[in-house]
Amino acid sequence: MMHQFKSSGLKLGIIAGGQLCKMLIQEASKWDIITYVLDPEDNCAAGNIASKCFKGHYQDFDAVYSFGKKVDLLTFELENINIDALKKLQSEGLKIIPDPLILELIQDKGLQKEFYVKHEIPTSPYVFYSNKDEILTAIIDKKLKFPFVQKLRKGGYDGRGVSLIKTEKDLDLLMEGETMVEDLVEIEKEIAVIVARNENGETRTYPPVEMVFDSKANLVDLLICPSAISEEQSKKALEYAIKLIAALDMKGILAVEFFINKKGEILVNESAPRTHNSGHHTIESVITSQFEQHIRAVLNLPLGSTQLKMPAVMINLLGEEGYFGPVYYEGIEECMAIEGVNIHLYGKKITRHFRKMGHVTVVSDTLVEAIKKAAIVRKTLKVISWDKL
Ligand code: ADP
């Protein structure tokens, strides 16, 4: 494989062709790497820059298996993949990075939690329930007290599959199925740390970023780097991220999300064994972007510097409310005229409310200046459509 990297013709397979895959390919194309993508949609974000696109669903055994047979090395941009197909490919000699076993563990928020506890990485206390009735019974029996957070063990995404139950009034939000109930953390801040590791065990961490959430959409509204946390908190977060990736014996990029509670304690929330929304700013603000780093890690190449070049603020470009149809980016030219504003459009043809259509990273000499400019972009750049709902 290394031989192929130094020469020509290495076929890197990427499962799912969304924006993370697109940005991965943009980095892979700096080198002589052929990229094959598997995605269920005709017009996926990575579609027009992948060397080759194959239509098929990532949860479908046959689609994943036959795709894997076409490539020299396999990685992915999302967690929700058919594990049996990956395991079969691996047993037949295909290198899959990160390892399918890690994916299997992370697909289940319950197993993730158990792993944190086993490896003494602080996290909020939790209990598993097999259905909604069990939760209601636990409340009646006074074994479970308000407030709490219920999470689907599997299949949740971008806040879907998470219910915040603060009082009895919220009980109609309870979800059916296998869930995990955890103590509600009084969140002071949410931060994320990206860590990379290769087969040689070389490990690099990125500076912690602070995520500011839009409470309505439950999506990241603003992401700030460097984050305004104490030196000690930063040290701890990096330490936990390194401990976790080593305990998993993982290769590739791991994104670890943490809560900082009102007491200033750091608790791990969840992790993703892939490139992450909280690392988009690294394209412009860090010497080696998370996407290049992932390729380096996957190919067991030396990892690159994770030094921050400039303070950065990242905002997601979400489809505006009330629009559904062919996309139109209102105000894009005004924003481009602002120094330090870097616009990324994912190339999704159809916008709908809250759909992630792109992102903007603002870099500046000072964080204050970057935040100001990001606020202007937020007000000016709107993802809409001529076809109103
Ligand atoms: P997802 O996998 O969908 O991103 P998360 O576990 O990150 O789900 O939860 C989504 C959001 O819900 C978090 O960013 C946080 O704001 C809130 N949340 C999740 N768990 C807790 C908790 N234990 N206490 C308080 N808020 C929480």
Side-chain angles (χ1 to χ4, degrees), residues 119-381:
H119 293 277
E120 294 175 340
I121 298 169
T123 189
S124 76
Y126 64 97
V127 179
F128 296 151
Y129 291 95
S130 2
N131 54 52
K132 200 165 142 178
D133 277 349
E134 271 188 14
I135 298 180
L136 293 169
T137 309
I139 295 170
I140 293 165
D141 295 348
K142 301 208 163 21
K143 285 185 186 139
L144 177 60
K145 293 197 178 70
F146 300 111
F148 61 84
V149 182
Q150 185 203 21
K151 294 184 177 181
L152 285 182
R153 286 187 62 166
K154 287 188 176 180
Y157 193 69
D158 274 348
R160 274 159 281 175
V162 175
S163 286
L164 266 60
I165 314 287
K166 292 192 173 152
T167 66
E168 217 176 285
K169 280 193 211 119
D170 300 324
L171 280 178
D172 52 347
L173 299 175
L174 273 185
M175 299 168 289
E176 197 44 86
E178 295 266 350
T179 60
M180 168 175 88
V181 165
E182 58 180 37
D183 289 4
L184 185 100
V185 177
E186 279 197 86
I187 301 173
E188 177 70 34
K189 275 191 174 144
E190 296 196 34
I191 62 163
V193 171
I194 287 176
V195 55
R197 188 168 173 271
N198 65 15
E199 208 174 320
N200 292 343
E202 192 189 348
T203 306
R204 299 259 187 165
T205 50
Y206 284 79
V209 299
E210 190 176 327
M211 299 177 287
V212 183
F213 279 80
D214 176 336
S215 56
K216 229 169 59 187
N218 217 346
L219 280 175
V220 178
D221 186 42
L222 198 76
L223 186 145
I224 297 164
C225 191
S227 61
I229 60 174
S230 72
E231 197 52 40
E232 198 193 331
Q233 286 171 331
S234 173
K235 233 179 85 188
K236 271 221 172 107
L238 299 182
E239 196 184 295
Y240 293 144
I242 292 170
K243 193 171 175 185
L244 184 57
I245 203 166
L248 289 165
D249 190 18
M250 197 195 119
K251 291 110 204 169
I253 290 271
L254 179 72
V256 191
E257 295 180 25
F258 297 96
F259 298 133
I260 300 184
N261 65 16
K262 301 275 183 213
K263 289 187 210 151
E265 295 161 339
I266 294 178
L267 305 168
V268 66
N269 174 30
E270 59 170 358
S271 316
R274 54 166 172 82
T275 56
H276 197 252
N277 193 259
S278 67
H280 289 354
H281 70 99
T282 61
I283 295 173
E284 285 88 10
S285 70
V286 173
I287 291 179
T288 313
S289 80
Q290 63 164 345
F291 300 101
E292 177 176 331
Q293 198 77 291
H294 184 68
I295 295 166
R296 287 177 181 241
V298 161
L299 294 174
N300 198 25
L301 296 166
L303 299 183
S305 164
T306 53
Q307 197 190 318
L308 191 68
K309 293 188 284 190
M310 273 176 119
V313 173
M314 192 281 286
I315 58 173
N316 288 309
L317 292 179
L318 306 180
E320 288 288 320
E321 189 172 4
Y323 297 93
F324 176 72
V327 66
Y328 181 79
Y329 306 99
E330 189 180 79
I332 194 164
E333 289 177 21
E334 290 95 306
C335 293
M336 266 181 193
I338 306 170
E339 193 128 325
V341 168
N342 301 278
I343 297 177
H344 295 254
L345 304 177
Y346 301 150
K348 298 176 187 177
K349 307 288 175 247
I350 302 292
T351 180
R352 60 170 180 269
H353 188 203
F354 287 142
R355 189 172 193 201
K356 275 186 191 162
M357 300 298 286
H359 75 264
V360 177
T361 298
V362 185
V363 288
S364 187
D365 291 336
T366 67
L367 194 57
V368 173
E369 186 68 22
I371 292 172
K372 270 191 207 154
K373 287 180 173 175
I376 297 171
V377 174
R378 166 70 75 233
K379 264 200 246 145
T380 314
L381 184 47

Side-chain angles (χ1 to χ4, degrees), residues 37-107:
V37 170
L38 176 74
D39 195 275
E41 281 181 41
D42 282 323
N43 281 318
C44 67
N48 63 356
I49 63 163
S51 312
K52 231 176 179 175
C53 254
F54 296 86
K55 194 171 172 177
H57 206 284
Y58 37 81
Q59 283 168 336
D60 180 62
F61 181 95
D62 294 330
V64 172
Y65 180 74
S66 61
F67 177 71
K69 284 294 181 194
K70 297 181 176 70
V71 299
D72 300 312
L73 177 68
L74 190 60
T75 189
F76 43 83
E77 66 142 29
L78 84 179
E79 287 104 311
N80 204 5
I81 303 170
N82 188 303
I83 297 283
D84 291 337
L86 293 181
K87 282 186 179 167
K88 184 160 164 65
L89 287 164
Q90 194 181 39
S91 74
E92 292 169 4
L94 182 65
K95 208 159 192 178
I96 304 176
I97 297 175
D99 195 287
L101 287 176
I102 294 170
L103 204 55
E104 194 169 29
L105 183 123
I106 286 189
Q107 277 181 352

